[in-house]
Amino acid sequence: MEILIVALIVMTLVYAYYTRLVNKKNAVLEALAGIDVQLNMRADLVPNVLKVAKRFLEHESKLLAEITALRMSASRTYDRGDSRSLKRHLSAAAEFEGKMSQLMVTLENYPDLKSDGVMTQAQQTYNDVELHIAAARRFYNTAVSDLNTAVQIFPGSLIAGMAGIQAMPFFEATATARQPIDADSYLR
Amino acid sequence: MPDINDERAQSRLLERQASERYSDEAFKKYYAEKIQPLWSTFEKKRRQAAATVSRRAPFAIIYGSAIMAFVLIAIRGWHWPTGPVLGLGALGAIGVSAWASADQRQYIEDIKTQIFPIIFSFFGETFKYVQPKKNPVHIYQIRKLGVFEDIDSHKVGDYVSGTYKGVELRLTELQLWKKEDKDKSRTQIFKGLLVVLKFGKAFRGTTIVKSDQGSLGNLVARNNTGLVRVRLEDPLFEQRFEVFGSDQIEARVILTPGFMERIKKIESQHEGVQFSFISKEVAIFLPTNQDFFGVNTDLDRMFSLADDIAGIRHEMGMIFDLIETLSLQRA
């Protein structure tokens, strides 16, 4: 009888921990969905930017081609449950972001292009989407941090292993985004 | 086509003009030009009020004592009914006191109606100071802001309204009360300033930044708002505040690390500050025990508004600073 009670208590605790892990995983997936919505918005915006940019940026055709390729790569479907597939997706999104930032900096050198009405509108929308991506990234990373801590500490590691719940990758900023800003170039 | 360097130069010029416009130096100049010339008029009014008060005060004391003696005799000696006699006595005392301090009240009123509009004009032509006759804000409008949903009564004092960099601003003195279930008495739950900023662009969802009230208090607050908790990365901010929102991403678009730092700085000066971001409006509840639109009522001191103005300028500067940050985010 006593063994039965102890087993029941252990099972209840394991179940409670399992529920907690599933909740945390779902929170990560919810945050991920938020990121994907923003990434799709950015991907939809890019053709407009490129269409206007192509008229002016003849010398930057390599950059424009890279952006087009990266956009396709970042828009590919992936397996949300597989951390490796997810990591590839997030890396592609980050790389795409880096190239887009490079394009935006390049635009600064073309005053005619910057003053184009369509481009100005596209840039404003792009900046707004970027703000939302940064916020979605923070939401996602908080949820991932929560899940990974629970998955990596005993008994979470054991229960997660049995339930097939894995630690998830963080959505990290690109090397371009981490580079220090040359304030002088803006203040000149 | 405008040159990019021209645009940057223009932007720097505008920034410099803005900081120069509200600097100490600029205000000193403004004070010297617009308020200093009124000094002699108001100093004369202060002296007249002080003279009237000191002349009437002895009479007021004698009248007051006579009324009290009459009340005592009427109740004890003539056995007149206590309630009506006490009521009459109180009315008499109020009348005497109002008569004695009439000039002092007029002096304060003159400062508010003649000098305050000039002070607030310093911040822009659109700024105006209003002394409302009735509560200009309905209680449901305050409840709707989501920070104090369970209030039963409110009192709105004087307010200032205007536009700063395209953002409509309204700053109101506010007191809020909540009824206690058991003894029907009411408890004051807020006293301070309500600042409402109206932006051109609406928020997609609702975000409420409330003071941290401990585990149980936060749980109750979350149930009251019907929103989801937003957990942020800044541990110090998390210690001080509890954030609820309908859109996790937008809450983080608003509460960037930089903006959280600003809120913490404000909180260090106004403990208990709370925010709500709904539709096109940002509401800031700034607790303070000081009367924001109060003036120095001491008739024995020479007329000066230096201390009162310093407080107003400090608060307005802080609000403009917040508008600048939020405007950049919402550009």
Side-chain angles (χ1 to χ4, degrees):
Chain A
M1 185 64 182
E2 284 160 356
I3 295 170
L4 204 67
I5 293 169
V6 171
L8 200 70
I9 292 170
V10 171
M11 275 175 71
T12 310
L13 287 175
V14 169
Y15 182 73
Y17 212 100
Y18 168 72
T19 319
R20 217 175 124 223
L21 283 174
V22 172
N23 280 337
K24 285 182 190 297
K25 190 183 174 185
N26 287 341
V28 172
L29 293 177
E30 185 200 339
L32 189 58
I35 286 182
D36 281 341
V37 168
Q38 302 302 329
L39 292 180
N40 286 338
M41 279 174 77
R42 180 169 67 186
D44 291 346
L45 197 68
V46 168
N48 283 340
V49 176
L50 293 184
K51 208 188 285 176
V52 185
K54 263 180 192 165
R55 284 195 272 139
F56 298 87
L57 304 181
E58 285 168 7
H59 306 296
E60 312 285 351
S61 55
K62 193 180 163 220
L63 174 63
L64 300 183
E66 278 175 344
I67 288 174
T68 311
L70 281 169
R71 176 181 174 266
M72 279 179 67
S73 153
S75 305
R76 269 190 207 120
T77 50
Y78 66 97
D79 181 3
R80 283 182 169 196
D82 178 20
S83 66
R84 262 184 281 177
S85 168
L86 176 59
K87 198 169 186 174
R88 273 199 300 275
H89 172 67
L90 295 179
S91 303
E95 214 176 322
F96 179 43
E97 185 182 322
K99 283 289 168 199
M100 280 303 289
S101 304
Q102 203 180 323
L103 175 68
M104 292 298 158
V105 173
T106 309
L107 293 184
E108 295 285 326
N109 299 324
Y110 294 85
D112 289 353
L113 177 55
K114 262 205 86 189
S115 59
D116 184 281
V118 179
M119 181 53 92
T120 313
Q121 178 83 40
Q123 266 188 308
Q124 274 173 359
T125 316
Y126 179 82
N127 289 342
D128 193 43
V129 172
E130 280 299 314
L131 264 179
H132 281 81
I133 290 176
R137 189 205 310 263
R138 284 166 59 207
F139 177 33
Y140 171 79
N141 284 344
T142 306
V144 166
S145 167
D146 246 16
L147 173 73
N148 290 0
T149 309
V151 163
Q152 285 159 1
I153 295 171
F154 183 83
S157 50
L158 194 70
I159 299 165
M162 286 192 296
I165 297 173
Q166 303 166 319
M168 299 283 236
F170 285 99
F171 186 8
E172 288 169 46
T174 55
T176 324
R178 284 201 204 101
Q179 276 172 3
I181 294 167
D182 178 13
D184 281 349
S185 66
Y186 290 94
L187 295 173
R188 269 199 297 271
Chain B
M1 290 286 172
D3 184 75
I4 192 159
N5 290 326
D6 285 350
E7 280 179 27
R8 281 181 188 149
Q10 198 179 5
S11 154
R12 283 202 301 274
L13 183 70
L14 284 173
E15 276 174 29
R16 202 170 58 235
Q17 280 174 344
S19 63
E20 278 171 5
R21 183 168 161 74
Y22 301 113
S23 67
D24 285 346
E25 287 306 312
F27 189 75
K28 272 181 195 163
K29 201 175 155 205
Y30 183 83
Y31 190 91
E33 276 174 18
K34 308 271 182 177
I35 301 172
Q36 197 62 33
L38 300 171
W39 185 87
S40 54
T41 312
F42 276 86
E43 178 56 13
K44 200 174 154 190
K45 284 185 184 192
R46 179 194 70 81
R47 283 188 195 157
Q48 276 174 356
T52 313
V53 168
S54 58
R55 203 172 52 243
R56 290 180 181 178
F59 290 105
I61 292 167
I62 293 165
Y63 287 148
S65 307
I67 288 168
M68 276 179 67
F70 171 77
V71 165
L72 279 174
I73 293 167
I75 294 171
R76 293 221 172 157
W78 305 332
H79 301 290
W80 284 12
T82 313
V85 172
L86 274 178
L88 267 175
L91 269 177
I94 290 168
V96 167
S97 145
W99 168 74
S101 62
D103 279 19
Q104 184 179 20
R105 276 183 288 112
Q106 189 57 51
Y107 165 69
I108 295 166
E109 186 64 21
D110 287 349
I111 291 177
K112 288 197 169 189
T113 53
Q114 292 171 39
I115 294 192
F116 271 33
I118 302 174
I119 294 173
F120 287 104
S121 293
F122 171 71
F123 302 109
E125 286 166 5
T126 56
F127 281 84
K128 58 177 184 185
Y129 168 72
V130 181
Q131 288 179 287
K133 298 269 183 291
K134 289 192 290 183
N135 266 354
V137 184
H138 197 277
I139 195 163
Y140 87 86
Q141 288 174 292
I142 295 168
R143 285 196 193 118
K144 204 178 70 177
L145 295 172
V147 176
F148 297 101
E149 310 88 353
D150 48 359
I151 48 168
D152 294 297
S153 55
H154 75 305
K155 187 183 168 198
V156 178
D158 301 351
Y159 69 84
V160 168
S161 65
T163 305
Y164 178 77
K165 296 202 171 174
V167 178
E168 283 176 40
L169 179 160
R170 186 155 163 156
L171 186 150
T172 318
E173 278 184 326
L174 179 71
Q175 292 183 68
L176 302 172
W177 290 272
K178 185 184 166 185
K179 265 185 199 157
E180 297 300 326
D181 290 336
K182 289 173 190 168
D183 52 6
K184 290 183 181 173
S185 64
R186 60 178 197 167
T187 313
Q188 189 173 62
I189 55 172
F190 178 80
K191 181 177 186 274
L193 298 173
L194 168 64
V195 183
V196 178
L197 311 175
K198 201 168 182 179
F199 287 82
K201 194 170 154 190
F203 296 103
R204 291 197 297 213
T206 298
T207 304
I208 311 280
V209 180
K210 294 188 94 164
S211 298
D212 190 278
Q213 294 161 47
S215 307
L216 194 65
N218 291 337
L219 194 70
V220 173
R222 189 169 64 183
N223 284 338
N224 285 346
T225 58
L227 301 168
V228 183
R229 191 190 163 213
V230 177
R231 201 162 65 82
L232 296 158
E233 313 89 328
D234 185 332
L236 282 175
F237 187 87
E238 280 287 298
Q239 263 178 26
R240 295 285 190 182
F241 299 99
E242 192 77 355
V243 181
F244 306 105
S246 60
D247 183 331
Q248 290 274 353
I249 294 173
E250 192 178 58
R252 287 169 174 87
V253 170
I254 298 166
L255 296 162
T256 58
F259 194 58
M260 285 194 276
E261 283 301 324
R262 276 174 199 274
I263 292 183
K264 282 191 289 183
K265 198 175 156 195
I266 295 172
E267 206 265 348
S268 67
Q269 292 162 10
H270 294 274
E271 201 181 333
V273 62
Q274 306 190 78
F275 297 79
S276 116
F277 303 82
I278 300 175
S279 186
K280 287 185 174 180
E281 289 184 348
V282 177
I284 309 160
F285 290 84
L286 277 173
T288 169
N289 283 323
Q290 287 171 340
D291 184 2
F292 185 71
F293 299 108
V295 286
N296 172 26
T297 55
D298 189 354
L299 294 178
D300 297 331
R301 273 170 53 196
M302 201 179 278
F303 170 72
S304 169
L305 292 172
D307 292 344
D308 305 316
I309 292 174
I312 290 171
R313 282 192 58 225
H314 176 262
E315 302 294 338
M316 294 296 280
M318 189 191 71
I319 293 160
F320 292 157
D321 190 33
L322 271 182
I323 293 177
E324 304 261 359
T325 312
L326 284 166
S327 296
L328 276 178
Q329 284 173 211
R330 306 197 62 65

